[in-house]
Amino acid sequence: MQLLSLLMLLATACSQEELPASGNSGYLSLNVAVGDVKVNVVRTKAFELPEVEIKIDILQDGAVYDNHSYSLGTLPAKIKLEKGSYTLKIYPADGNSGPEYDEYTKDFTIEEGKTTNLGTVEMKMQNLGIALVLPDGFDDWFKSYTFTVIMGETTQTLQNGGIAYFDKPETNNFTYKLEAVNLDGETMSMSENYLKDNTGRPVLDTNTIYVIQYDMETKSFVVR
């Protein structure tokens, strides 16, 4: 994983489509998508975004109605339901770590012989990530390293290809530090501050992964 709204319903109004009569039943039409997270580097084996599991429940009277609980992969194009009032609930599944997604709920009504179309609900990541990408050959020069990111009052340590997630800070900056020991036992220490200023650097935003890359030739970092 993204600029965005917390949760966006692209088709907010329920529309009704006439269908052949089918007892006391009607249909729900719905599409759910996880919005693309903004990342300014090509995904490689050293850097992959984690899989996010989203659950979709159809509730009635506060409980899941007749086993109508789905994941993104099992959500059908149309869901047959008895006529009546329901609540749609979309939320991140237990076990998701790092990326945060808000819960989305919407009340809707099923009418006999009709389809209630809720359009597309897009889920967006509500926090931001900092990723570390070290170049090939880094381990040939350094036998150990520690990479630390500080944003606000939160400090996290990263390994190559890893992502640390943070709530959006009140200020648009973070600090990162690399301490590495080379093959001769000498210690290299570098610390830099990424700060929004007047040079065109963007405001830190959610639904975004900021990738810190180290360049062996220049011995410096670049944030993308």
Side-chain angles (χ1 to χ4, degrees):
M1 173 145 270
Q2 57 22 118
L3 173 64
L4 46 90
S5 58
L6 298 181
L7 284 175
M8 188 171 76
L9 181 63
L10 301 182
T12 56
C14 299
S15 62
Q16 298 292 341
E17 172 189 345
E18 295 291 343
L19 289 176
S22 178
N24 291 323
S25 300
Y27 291 86
L28 172 68
S29 177
L30 170 73
N31 183 48
V32 180
V34 176
D36 288 337
V37 176
K38 291 189 175 182
V39 184
N40 293 327
V41 297
V42 177
R43 276 72 158 177
T44 66
K45 289 183 178 179
F47 175 71
E48 291 287 346
L49 291 176
E51 293 292 332
V52 176
E53 185 178 358
I54 299 295
K55 301 292 290 182
I56 303 104
D57 290 345
I58 308 299
L59 307 177
Q60 192 173 63
D61 298 327
V64 175
Y65 174 75
D66 195 25
N67 295 318
H68 286 291
S69 183
Y70 306 94
S71 65
L72 291 179
T74 62
L75 182 67
K78 285 188 177 181
I79 302 171
K80 185 177 181 180
L81 296 167
E82 295 297 313
K83 67 178 182 179
S85 297
Y86 299 87
T87 298
L88 169 68
K89 179 180 177 182
I90 306 172
Y91 58 99
D94 292 339
N96 287 338
S97 59
E100 294 180 355
Y101 292 81
D102 282 346
E103 180 181 299
Y104 174 86
T105 59
K106 183 176 181 64
D107 295 331
F108 66 94
T109 300
I110 295 295
E111 296 184 19
E112 181 179 338
K114 296 181 180 180
T115 292
T116 297
N117 190 344
L118 296 184
T120 298
V121 177
E122 187 175 20
M123 304 288 285
K124 294 266 190 175
M125 189 174 78
Q126 301 304 303
N127 52 357
L128 60 90
I130 307 293
L132 172 66
V133 175
L134 298 176
D136 294 337
F138 186 86
D139 291 339
D140 296 336
W141 290 91
F142 299 97
K143 60 182 180 180
S144 65
Y145 70 91
T146 301
F147 187 86
T148 306
V149 178
I150 303 171
M151 186 177 297
E153 297 181 355
T154 303
T155 301
Q156 296 198 50
T157 301
L158 276 172
Q159 296 295 315
N160 185 29
I163 306 174
Y165 292 90
F166 299 85
D167 294 332
K168 184 177 179 179
E170 294 181 0
T171 56
N172 289 303
N173 69 291
F174 59 86
T175 300
Y176 51 94
K177 182 177 181 180
L178 173 68
E179 292 184 328
V181 179
N182 65 20
L183 298 181
D184 295 327
E186 300 169 331
T187 299
M188 175 191 74
S189 180
M190 300 177 62
S191 181
E192 296 186 12
N193 187 48
Y194 180 83
L195 174 67
K196 177 187 178 296
D197 52 25
N198 295 323
T199 63
R201 286 179 170 174
V203 175
L204 293 181
D205 214 336
T206 56
N207 199 50
T208 303
I209 304 295
Y210 295 88
V211 180
I212 302 175
Q213 294 177 290
Y214 181 74
D215 188 292
M216 291 288 288
E217 292 185 3
T218 63
K219 295 181 173 57
S220 63
F221 289 106
V222 61
V223 180
R224 301 185 186 277

